Amino acid sequence: MKGVLYVISGPSGVGKTSIIELTLKKVKNLVFSVSCTTRPKRPNEVEGRDYFFVDIVKFRDMIERDEFLEWAVVHNHYYGTPRKFVEQEIEKGKSVLLDIDVQGAMSVMNKYKDAVYIFIAPPSFDVLKQRLINRGTESQENLQRRLEDAKRELSYIPNFEYIIVNTQLQESVDQLCSIIVAEQLKVKRIIDRLGLHRFFENGGENNE
Ligand code: 5GP
């Protein structure tokens, strides 16, 4: 019984981290994939919980060794999803949540047709800007870059299957949980999980 891969994207400051944190508390058998990044650690971040913070040499080395499921340069830093963790968890039957940028999501889309692609959007560009300012994690220069990147990221929305407009945190968490429940109830996934392909190919007759 394989797990499901959920790919979550959305502009910086939209609230992905909070939505994901609360969702992980509510949904059983769901784990978060911690990415590697060359971005400097923020004061409130914990190594191994938020990211694996690595230098550029180590990151390039990991690319060479094909250790990433996907990787991308986002807001001038490298970010990548460690392949082994994701593959092992899915194989064990756990579902895995990725929080990655739109380039990363597009690259996963080419490899994992069965994954679920969810975009988290802000209610408006002004709200996004205000949230990013209130978060207080970015310098003026980085803030401008992230806002510029946000415009480009929003143009990718049509490539995603689901969109959650994050107006109110709890509502967004409920919506993400609903998507996860609905996906797990899809007939094709249940047939896959229980290995019932041959049974249904025979029109539901068990000829064994
Ligand atoms: P932040 O620096 O604010 O933590 O993250 C910046 C952006 O990088 C976010 O949009 C986040 O989704 C994205 N990101 C985080 N980890 C990865 C990853 O492993 N791969 C890719 N492609 N993007 C990532």
PDB file of all heavy atoms in Angstrom, residues 8-35:
ATOM      1  N   ILE A   8       2.871  20.992  -2.570  1.00  0.00           N
ATOM      2  CA  ILE A   8       2.250  22.273  -2.234  1.00  0.00           C
ATOM      3  C   ILE A   8       3.168  23.405  -2.659  1.00  0.00           C
ATOM      4  O   ILE A   8       4.354  23.411  -2.318  1.00  0.00           O
ATOM      5  CB  ILE A   8       1.978  22.347  -0.719  1.00  0.00           C
ATOM      6  CG1 ILE A   8       1.051  21.196  -0.382  1.00  0.00           C
ATOM      7  CG2 ILE A   8       1.416  23.704  -0.319  1.00  0.00           C
ATOM      8  CD1 ILE A   8       0.275  21.321   0.840  1.00  0.00           C
ATOM      9  N   SER A   9       2.619  24.344  -3.428  1.00  0.00           N
ATOM     10  CA  SER A   9       3.386  25.519  -3.855  1.00  0.00           C
ATOM     11  C   SER A   9       2.579  26.769  -3.589  1.00  0.00           C
ATOM     12  O   SER A   9       1.351  26.712  -3.432  1.00  0.00           O
ATOM     13  CB  SER A   9       3.667  25.460  -5.360  1.00  0.00           C
ATOM     14  OG  SER A   9       4.572  24.464  -5.659  1.00  0.00           O
ATOM     15  N   GLY A  10       3.293  27.881  -3.610  1.00  0.00           N
ATOM     16  CA  GLY A  10       2.610  29.160  -3.416  1.00  0.00           C
ATOM     17  C   GLY A  10       3.657  30.197  -3.086  1.00  0.00           C
ATOM     18  O   GLY A  10       4.759  29.839  -2.643  1.00  0.00           O
ATOM     19  N   PRO A  11       3.359  31.464  -3.277  1.00  0.00           N
ATOM     20  CA  PRO A  11       4.373  32.490  -3.067  1.00  0.00           C
ATOM     21  C   PRO A  11       4.820  32.615  -1.617  1.00  0.00           C
ATOM     22  O   PRO A  11       4.092  32.244  -0.686  1.00  0.00           O
ATOM     23  CB  PRO A  11       3.688  33.781  -3.539  1.00  0.00           C
ATOM     24  CG  PRO A  11       2.251  33.474  -3.586  1.00  0.00           C
ATOM     25  CD  PRO A  11       2.094  31.999  -3.746  1.00  0.00           C
ATOM     26  N   SER A  12       6.012  33.135  -1.464  1.00  0.00           N
ATOM     27  CA  SER A  12       6.580  33.365  -0.142  1.00  0.00           C
ATOM     28  C   SER A  12       5.671  34.297   0.656  1.00  0.00           C
ATOM     29  O   SER A  12       5.229  35.321   0.143  1.00  0.00           O
ATOM     30  CB  SER A  12       7.957  34.011  -0.348  1.00  0.00           C
ATOM     31  OG  SER A  12       8.566  34.263   0.862  1.00  0.00           O
ATOM     32  N   GLY A  13       5.359  33.912   1.891  1.00  0.00           N
ATOM     33  CA  GLY A  13       4.528  34.764   2.748  1.00  0.00           C
ATOM     34  C   GLY A  13       3.046  34.423   2.694  1.00  0.00           C
ATOM     35  O   GLY A  13       2.246  34.998   3.431  1.00  0.00           O
ATOM     36  N   VAL A  14       2.675  33.458   1.862  1.00  0.00           N
ATOM     37  CA  VAL A  14       1.245  33.161   1.704  1.00  0.00           C
ATOM     38  C   VAL A  14       0.687  32.380   2.901  1.00  0.00           C
ATOM     39  O   VAL A  14      -0.527  32.368   3.126  1.00  0.00           O
ATOM     40  CB  VAL A  14       0.980  32.424   0.362  1.00  0.00           C
ATOM     41  CG1 VAL A  14       1.383  30.960   0.433  1.00  0.00           C
ATOM     42  CG2 VAL A  14      -0.470  32.555  -0.061  1.00  0.00           C
ATOM     43  N   GLY A  15       1.585  31.733   3.654  1.00  0.00           N
ATOM     44  CA  GLY A  15       1.118  30.986   4.839  1.00  0.00           C
ATOM     45  C   GLY A  15       1.223  29.478   4.699  1.00  0.00           C
ATOM     46  O   GLY A  15       0.621  28.739   5.482  1.00  0.00           O
ATOM     47  N   LYS A  16       2.032  29.014   3.735  1.00  0.00           N
ATOM     48  CA  LYS A  16       2.153  27.561   3.516  1.00  0.00           C
ATOM     49  C   LYS A  16       2.626  26.824   4.773  1.00  0.00           C
ATOM     50  O   LYS A  16       2.084  25.784   5.121  1.00  0.00           O
ATOM     51  CB  LYS A  16       3.195  27.292   2.403  1.00  0.00           C
ATOM     52  CG  LYS A  16       2.690  27.525   1.010  1.00  0.00           C
ATOM     53  CD  LYS A  16       3.843  27.453   0.028  1.00  0.00           C
ATOM     54  CE  LYS A  16       4.774  28.628   0.250  1.00  0.00           C
ATOM     55  NZ  LYS A  16       5.991  28.626  -0.542  1.00  0.00           N
ATOM     56  N   THR A  17       3.657  27.392   5.417  1.00  0.00           N
ATOM     57  CA  THR A  17       4.244  26.696   6.569  1.00  0.00           C
ATOM     58  C   THR A  17       3.212  26.480   7.672  1.00  0.00           C
ATOM     59  O   THR A  17       3.091  25.380   8.214  1.00  0.00           O
ATOM     60  CB  THR A  17       5.461  27.486   7.116  1.00  0.00           C
ATOM     61  OG1 THR A  17       6.310  27.773   6.006  1.00  0.00           O
ATOM     62  CG2 THR A  17       6.235  26.693   8.139  1.00  0.00           C
ATOM     63  N   SER A  18       2.428  27.519   7.991  1.00  0.00           N
ATOM     64  CA  SER A  18       1.423  27.370   9.060  1.00  0.00           C
ATOM     65  C   SER A  18       0.354  26.366   8.656  1.00  0.00           C
ATOM     66  O   SER A  18      -0.075  25.537   9.478  1.00  0.00           O
ATOM     67  CB  SER A  18       0.736  28.715   9.337  1.00  0.00           C
ATOM     68  OG  SER A  18       1.684  29.704   9.523  1.00  0.00           O
ATOM     69  N   ILE A  19      -0.090  26.424   7.413  1.00  0.00           N
ATOM     70  CA  ILE A  19      -1.133  25.491   6.953  1.00  0.00           C
ATOM     71  C   ILE A  19      -0.607  24.053   7.061  1.00  0.00           C
ATOM     72  O   ILE A  19      -1.295  23.156   7.559  1.00  0.00           O
ATOM     73  CB  ILE A  19      -1.564  25.804   5.496  1.00  0.00           C
ATOM     74  CG1 ILE A  19      -2.189  27.191   5.404  1.00  0.00           C
ATOM     75  CG2 ILE A  19      -2.515  24.743   4.961  1.00  0.00           C
ATOM     76  CD1 ILE A  19      -2.504  27.649   3.989  1.00  0.00           C
ATOM     77  N   ILE A  20       0.631  23.873   6.627  1.00  0.00           N
ATOM     78  CA  ILE A  20       1.214  22.526   6.628  1.00  0.00           C
ATOM     79  C   ILE A  20       1.392  22.015   8.065  1.00  0.00           C
ATOM     80  O   ILE A  20       1.033  20.882   8.375  1.00  0.00           O
ATOM     81  CB  ILE A  20       2.552  22.519   5.847  1.00  0.00           C
ATOM     82  CG1 ILE A  20       2.262  22.684   4.348  1.00  0.00           C
ATOM     83  CG2 ILE A  20       3.352  21.245   6.106  1.00  0.00           C
ATOM     84  CD1 ILE A  20       3.474  22.890   3.476  1.00  0.00           C
ATOM     85  N   GLU A  21       1.903  22.869   8.934  1.00  0.00           N
ATOM     86  CA  GLU A  21       2.124  22.454  10.334  1.00  0.00           C
ATOM     87  C   GLU A  21       0.839  21.952  10.974  1.00  0.00           C
ATOM     88  O   GLU A  21       0.797  20.904  11.608  1.00  0.00           O
ATOM     89  CB  GLU A  21       2.626  23.646  11.139  1.00  0.00           C
ATOM     90  CG  GLU A  21       4.129  23.653  11.337  1.00  0.00           C
ATOM     91  CD  GLU A  21       4.587  24.936  12.010  1.00  0.00           C
ATOM     92  OE1 GLU A  21       3.853  25.482  12.873  1.00  0.00           O
ATOM     93  OE2 GLU A  21       5.668  25.389  11.631  1.00  0.00           O
ATOM     94  N   LEU A  22      -0.245  22.721  10.800  1.00  0.00           N
ATOM     95  CA  LEU A  22      -1.518  22.336  11.422  1.00  0.00           C
ATOM     96  C   LEU A  22      -2.111  21.095  10.765  1.00  0.00           C
ATOM     97  O   LEU A  22      -2.728  20.260  11.429  1.00  0.00           O
ATOM     98  CB  LEU A  22      -2.510  23.510  11.370  1.00  0.00           C
ATOM     99  CG  LEU A  22      -2.124  24.715  12.242  1.00  0.00           C
ATOM    100  CD1 LEU A  22      -3.078  25.873  12.025  1.00  0.00           C
ATOM    101  CD2 LEU A  22      -2.119  24.330  13.721  1.00  0.00           C
ATOM    102  N   THR A  23      -1.912  20.969   9.462  1.00  0.00           N
ATOM    103  CA  THR A  23      -2.447  19.804   8.747  1.00  0.00           C
ATOM    104  C   THR A  23      -1.736  18.527   9.211  1.00  0.00           C
ATOM    105  O   THR A  23      -2.375  17.487   9.406  1.00  0.00           O
ATOM    106  CB  THR A  23      -2.295  19.991   7.221  1.00  0.00           C
ATOM    107  OG1 THR A  23      -3.001  21.170   6.852  1.00  0.00           O
ATOM    108  CG2 THR A  23      -2.843  18.804   6.440  1.00  0.00           C
ATOM    109  N   LEU A  24      -0.423  18.629   9.407  1.00  0.00           N
ATOM    110  CA  LEU A  24       0.344  17.454   9.845  1.00  0.00           C
ATOM    111  C   LEU A  24      -0.144  16.945  11.203  1.00  0.00           C
ATOM    112  O   LEU A  24      -0.081  15.749  11.491  1.00  0.00           O
ATOM    113  CB  LEU A  24       1.834  17.790   9.928  1.00  0.00           C
ATOM    114  CG  LEU A  24       2.553  17.936   8.575  1.00  0.00           C
ATOM    115  CD1 LEU A  24       3.917  18.576   8.750  1.00  0.00           C
ATOM    116  CD2 LEU A  24       2.684  16.594   7.868  1.00  0.00           C
ATOM    117  N   LYS A  25      -0.653  17.872  12.028  1.00  0.00           N
ATOM    118  CA  LYS A  25      -1.168  17.464  13.344  1.00  0.00           C
ATOM    119  C   LYS A  25      -2.506  16.741  13.216  1.00  0.00           C
ATOM    120  O   LYS A  25      -2.895  15.978  14.087  1.00  0.00           O
ATOM    121  CB  LYS A  25      -1.362  18.692  14.242  1.00  0.00           C
ATOM    122  CG  LYS A  25      -0.031  19.250  14.727  1.00  0.00           C
ATOM    123  CD  LYS A  25      -0.248  20.329  15.762  1.00  0.00           C
ATOM    124  CE  LYS A  25       1.089  20.958  16.136  1.00  0.00           C
ATOM    125  NZ  LYS A  25       0.989  22.356  16.463  1.00  0.00           N
ATOM    126  N   LYS A  26      -3.231  17.026  12.142  1.00  0.00           N
ATOM    127  CA  LYS A  26      -4.593  16.474  12.013  1.00  0.00           C
ATOM    128  C   LYS A  26      -4.668  15.178  11.198  1.00  0.00           C
ATOM    129  O   LYS A  26      -5.605  14.406  11.363  1.00  0.00           O
ATOM    130  CB  LYS A  26      -5.511  17.521  11.344  1.00  0.00           C
ATOM    131  CG  LYS A  26      -5.827  18.701  12.257  1.00  0.00           C
ATOM    132  CD  LYS A  26      -6.725  19.684  11.572  1.00  0.00           C
ATOM    133  CE  LYS A  26      -8.178  19.320  11.695  1.00  0.00           C
ATOM    134  NZ  LYS A  26      -9.063  20.435  11.261  1.00  0.00           N
ATOM    135  N   VAL A  27      -3.724  15.010  10.274  1.00  0.00           N
ATOM    136  CA  VAL A  27      -3.844  13.869   9.356  1.00  0.00           C
ATOM    137  C   VAL A  27      -2.855  12.765   9.737  1.00  0.00           C
ATOM    138  O   VAL A  27      -1.657  13.019   9.847  1.00  0.00           O
ATOM    139  CB  VAL A  27      -3.592  14.320   7.893  1.00  0.00           C
ATOM    140  CG1 VAL A  27      -3.728  13.149   6.929  1.00  0.00           C
ATOM    141  CG2 VAL A  27      -4.544  15.444   7.509  1.00  0.00           C
ATOM    142  N   LYS A  28      -3.377  11.563   9.905  1.00  0.00           N
ATOM    143  CA  LYS A  28      -2.508  10.429  10.254  1.00  0.00           C
ATOM    144  C   LYS A  28      -1.730   9.966   9.028  1.00  0.00           C
ATOM    145  O   LYS A  28      -2.180  10.144   7.891  1.00  0.00           O
ATOM    146  CB  LYS A  28      -3.380   9.262  10.743  1.00  0.00           C
ATOM    147  CG  LYS A  28      -3.655   9.345  12.227  1.00  0.00           C
ATOM    148  CD  LYS A  28      -4.242   8.036  12.749  1.00  0.00           C
ATOM    149  CE  LYS A  28      -5.697   7.953  12.352  1.00  0.00           C
ATOM    150  NZ  LYS A  28      -6.402   6.763  12.687  1.00  0.00           N
ATOM    151  N   ASN A  29      -0.612   9.358   9.241  1.00  0.00           N
ATOM    152  CA  ASN A  29       0.171   8.775   8.143  1.00  0.00           C
ATOM    153  C   ASN A  29       0.652   9.770   7.108  1.00  0.00           C
ATOM    154  O   ASN A  29       0.821   9.419   5.946  1.00  0.00           O
ATOM    155  CB  ASN A  29      -0.648   7.700   7.420  1.00  0.00           C
ATOM    156  CG  ASN A  29      -0.399   6.343   8.026  1.00  0.00           C
ATOM    157  OD1 ASN A  29       0.692   6.085   8.548  1.00  0.00           O
ATOM    158  ND2 ASN A  29      -1.404   5.512   7.986  1.00  0.00           N
ATOM    159  N   LEU A  30       0.807  11.014   7.543  1.00  0.00           N
ATOM    160  CA  LEU A  30       1.268  12.061   6.623  1.00  0.00           C
ATOM    161  C   LEU A  30       2.553  12.643   7.203  1.00  0.00           C
ATOM    162  O   LEU A  30       2.584  13.030   8.376  1.00  0.00           O
ATOM    163  CB  LEU A  30       0.195  13.151   6.509  1.00  0.00           C
ATOM    164  CG  LEU A  30       0.501  14.317   5.583  1.00  0.00           C
ATOM    165  CD1 LEU A  30       0.523  13.862   4.123  1.00  0.00           C
ATOM    166  CD2 LEU A  30      -0.556  15.422   5.746  1.00  0.00           C
ATOM    167  N   VAL A  31       3.593  12.697   6.386  1.00  0.00           N
ATOM    168  CA  VAL A  31       4.868  13.239   6.877  1.00  0.00           C
ATOM    169  C   VAL A  31       5.334  14.362   5.967  1.00  0.00           C
ATOM    170  O   VAL A  31       4.935  14.447   4.798  1.00  0.00           O
ATOM    171  CB  VAL A  31       5.974  12.145   6.967  1.00  0.00           C
ATOM    172  CG1 VAL A  31       5.665  11.133   8.047  1.00  0.00           C
ATOM    173  CG2 VAL A  31       6.189  11.463   5.617  1.00  0.00           C
ATOM    174  N   PHE A  32       6.187  15.217   6.520  1.00  0.00           N
ATOM    175  CA  PHE A  32       6.697  16.361   5.766  1.00  0.00           C
ATOM    176  C   PHE A  32       8.110  16.053   5.284  1.00  0.00           C
ATOM    177  O   PHE A  32       8.931  15.525   6.032  1.00  0.00           O
ATOM    178  CB  PHE A  32       6.705  17.598   6.677  1.00  0.00           C
ATOM    179  CG  PHE A  32       7.222  18.827   5.993  1.00  0.00           C
ATOM    180  CD1 PHE A  32       6.534  19.396   4.937  1.00  0.00           C
ATOM    181  CD2 PHE A  32       8.414  19.420   6.407  1.00  0.00           C
ATOM    182  CE1 PHE A  32       7.012  20.537   4.296  1.00  0.00           C
ATOM    183  CE2 PHE A  32       8.902  20.561   5.776  1.00  0.00           C
ATOM    184  CZ  PHE A  32       8.197  21.112   4.716  1.00  0.00           C
ATOM    185  N   SER A  33       8.386  16.395   4.051  1.00  0.00           N
ATOM    186  CA  SER A  33       9.731  16.209   3.523  1.00  0.00           C
ATOM    187  C   SER A  33      10.556  17.474   3.780  1.00  0.00           C
ATOM    188  O   SER A  33      10.233  18.546   3.268  1.00  0.00           O
ATOM    189  CB  SER A  33       9.650  15.922   2.023  1.00  0.00           C
ATOM    190  OG  SER A  33      10.879  16.198   1.410  1.00  0.00           O
ATOM    191  N   VAL A  34      11.597  17.341   4.592  1.00  0.00           N
ATOM    192  CA  VAL A  34      12.462  18.483   4.909  1.00  0.00           C
ATOM    193  C   VAL A  34      13.467  18.661   3.767  1.00  0.00           C
ATOM    194  O   VAL A  34      14.171  17.720   3.404  1.00  0.00           O
ATOM    195  CB  VAL A  34      13.193  18.257   6.253  1.00  0.00           C
ATOM    196  CG1 VAL A  34      14.110  19.422   6.580  1.00  0.00           C
ATOM    197  CG2 VAL A  34      12.177  18.032   7.371  1.00  0.00           C
ATOM    198  N   SER A  35      13.494  19.860   3.210  1.00  0.00           N
ATOM    199  CA  SER A  35      14.364  20.136   2.057  1.00  0.00           C
ATOM    200  C   SER A  35      15.767  20.534   2.495  1.00  0.00           C
ATOM    201  O   SER A  35      15.994  20.899   3.647  1.00  0.00           O
ATOM    202  CB  SER A  35      13.780  21.309   1.260  1.00  0.00           C
ATOM    203  OG  SER A  35      12.539  20.969   0.720  1.00  0.00           O
TER     204      SER A  35
END
